[in-house]
Amino acid sequence: MESAGESFDVAVVGAGMAGLSAARALAEAGRQVVVIDKGRGFGGRMATRRLGTAVFDHGAQYFSVRSRGFGSLIAEASDDQQATIWSRGFPRLAASGAMEMPGDGHPRWCGLPSMTAIPKRLAEGLDVRRASRVASVAVEAGKVVLRFEDGGALQAAAAVLTPPVPQTLDLLDAGGVPLEADERARLETVTYEPCFALMAVLNKPSRVPAPGGLAIDNGPIAWIADNQQKGISPLPALTIHASPHFSSEHFDDEPAEVAALLLAAAERWIDGGASGVVEQSLQRWKFARPVTMFEAPLAVVHRDPVIVLAGDAFVGQRVEAAVTSGAAAARWLIRS
Ligand SMILES: Cc1cc2nc3c(=O)[nH]c(=O)nc-3n(C[C@H](O)[C@H](O)[C@H](O)COP(=O)(O)OP(=O)(O)OC[C@H]3O[C@@H](n4cnc5c(N)ncnc54)[C@H](O)[C@@H]3O)c2cc1C
């Protein structure tokens, strides 16, 4: 077998909120950490995209801040104009057709100039290798060995794996890491729902009500956001999230057909209907949100060397859940 190259204390797979939170805490505790991500940017599902000069948050739309650790990160980001409260609730179009106004008043935060500001802040000073797809995770001579699709490799004394759980299991299987049957069965119960995100640049301001986000109870669309009202796009730019039901049903359909169905359902919020759209792009999130959780903040699947699994599915369906899980994985490694 080809020898594994560089060596680290901890290798973290995934530069989403879970992986970066784990890596930051481990680096602050003095560990030599490397973070690997297949994507070109930071943040995983906390994602921003541009179409010309229009800007879209097309994954996570906003986040809650309830825990102390995440609270201090966001307070500092807010002081540096990298985070702000977008709203304290969003209108909801009920299945009856009635528009319900927000009720709980809890702050919904977003990143500035867009959502990826937060993962970028977490990544500052860390060794993050992007556009590097891990093909397998193996255990060799007491080390965790990561092999990359491009043929390279690295080794570490421990690893934190944060891709969606089915993808992590594939990496462990590809590397031949044996899992206990009970643990594997528990991990295999973790499921996710898909989500189409249609991004549309408009030639006029949208009709999405203030503050630029609307939840919809019935139909192909579950959420529509106006990134201009949100304050992140200089041009009118909608992010349209399909419902889990629609996304599952149409997951393998032609993107152009899916986009046409979603645009037709969104016409009411676009001045001029479909003719008001000047550019569009469809993103397909296969593992958008966990539906069945693992019910523990992390999973230790190998002890010598240690391999820990973390991510939103270990805590909840939210950005803050991913942060909590990543931080728990780091604490576990630091203690052990
Ligand atoms: C459409 C959508 C809307 C959402 N809306 C909200 C919302 O409004 N509020 C909220 O709180 N949450 C929302 N969420 C959920 C939130 O985005 C996630 O809970 C959170 O971002 C998950 O973070 P994570 O680090 O666990 O996983 P991820 O962000 O998925 O990070 C995993 C990382 O692993 C990388 N990876 C995977 N496989 C490999 C490999 N083989 N090699 C290298 N790297 C790999 C991926 O590229 C990715 O960057 C939404 C999600 C989606 C998709």
Side-chain angles (χ1 to χ4, degrees), residues 196-200 220-221 240 242 246 250-251 253-267 270 274 277 279-284:
F196 284 111
L198 178 65
M199 291 158 269
I221 297 177
I240 299 166
F246 177 94
H250 294 274
F251 197 70
D253 291 359
E254 275 299 314
E257 284 169 22
V258 174
L261 290 172
L262 292 176
L263 265 190
E267 271 200 339
I270 302 172
V277 176
E279 199 177 350
Q280 58 179 292
S281 176
L282 187 75
Q283 158 97 21
R284 201 173 66 150

Side-chain angles (χ1 to χ4, degrees), residues 2-336:
E2 182 198 334
S3 75
E6 289 173 275
S7 189
F8 298 87
D9 294 334
V10 186
V12 177
V13 180
M17 291 301 282
L20 290 172
S21 301
R24 175 115 244 123
L26 287 160
E28 282 170 8
R31 305 296 193 277
Q32 201 201 349
V33 184
V34 64
V35 184
I36 313 293
D37 202 291
K38 64 182 182 181
R40 276 177 292 146
F42 298 98
R45 280 173 275 160
M46 195 155 172
T48 303
R49 178 129 173 239
R50 282 174 177 71
L51 289 179
T53 50
V55 183
F56 303 81
D57 286 333
H58 65 301
Q61 299 293 290
Y62 54 84
F63 51 88
S64 57
V65 182
R66 293 187 166 93
S67 61
R68 225 171 23 166
F70 192 41
S72 39
L73 172 81
I74 297 305
E76 284 168 22
S78 170
D79 288 346
D80 293 343
Q81 319 291 320
Q82 289 179 330
T84 190
I85 295 174
W86 175 9
S87 171
R88 290 180 181 270
F90 296 97
R92 170 174 292 277
L93 183 61
S96 64
M99 189 72 90
E100 295 171 358
M101 295 321 277
D104 66 18
H106 206 81
R108 274 76 165 173
W109 288 81
C110 65
L112 286 178
S114 66
M115 280 301 234
T116 48
I118 308 300
K120 277 185 191 152
R121 184 179 179 97
L122 274 174
E124 266 166 33
L126 295 176
D127 180 355
V128 183
R129 319 259 171 112
R130 289 176 284 160
S132 265
R133 186 185 282 267
V134 177
S136 69
V137 176
V139 170
E140 290 167 22
K143 298 273 186 189
V144 186
V145 176
L146 268 48
R147 291 206 149 74
F148 301 104
E149 233 174 37
D150 69 5
L154 61 79
Q155 57 179 301
V160 180
L161 312 181
T162 69
V165 172
Q167 294 183 328
T168 294
L169 288 176
D170 286 347
L171 293 179
L172 293 166
D173 288 346
V177 176
L179 302 191
E180 285 193 9
D182 284 2
E183 188 79 328
R184 178 173 202 104
R186 270 182 82 198
L187 288 164
E188 281 176 346
T189 63
V190 176
T191 55
Y192 297 75
E193 60 192 20
C195 180
F196 284 111
L198 178 65
M199 291 158 269
V201 186
L202 310 184
N203 57 13
K204 294 195 198 94
S206 84
R207 293 181 174 153
V208 175
L214 173 70
I216 301 175
D217 277 350
N218 201 14
I221 297 177
W223 167 261
I224 183 161
D226 176 341
N227 294 287
Q228 189 180 38
Q229 284 191 63
K230 189 178 185 180
I232 69 161
S233 176
L235 295 183
L238 296 184
T239 298
I240 299 166
H241 282 167
S243 68
H245 178 74
F246 177 94
S247 302
S248 307
E249 217 168 44
H250 294 274
F251 197 70
D252 295 316
D253 291 359
E254 275 299 314
E257 284 169 22
V258 174
L261 290 172
L262 292 176
L263 265 190
E267 271 200 339
R268 170 178 176 187
W269 314 108
I270 302 172
D271 199 353
S275 65
V277 176
V278 290
E279 199 177 350
Q280 58 179 292
S281 176
L282 187 75
Q283 158 97 21
R284 201 173 66 150
W285 296 102
K286 185 171 182 190
F287 301 103
R289 289 188 195 81
V291 181
T292 326
M293 308 293 154
F294 184 73
E295 308 290 358
L298 57 102
V300 181
V301 296
H302 199 276
R303 289 205 174 242
D304 187 18
V306 173
I307 303 178
V308 184
L309 274 48
D312 58 351
F314 293 82
V315 177
Q317 286 198 322
R318 292 167 292 115
V319 166
E320 191 167 17
V323 172
T324 302
S325 175
R331 270 197 309 277
W332 196 94
L333 273 170
I334 291 162
R335 272 198 227 116
S336 69

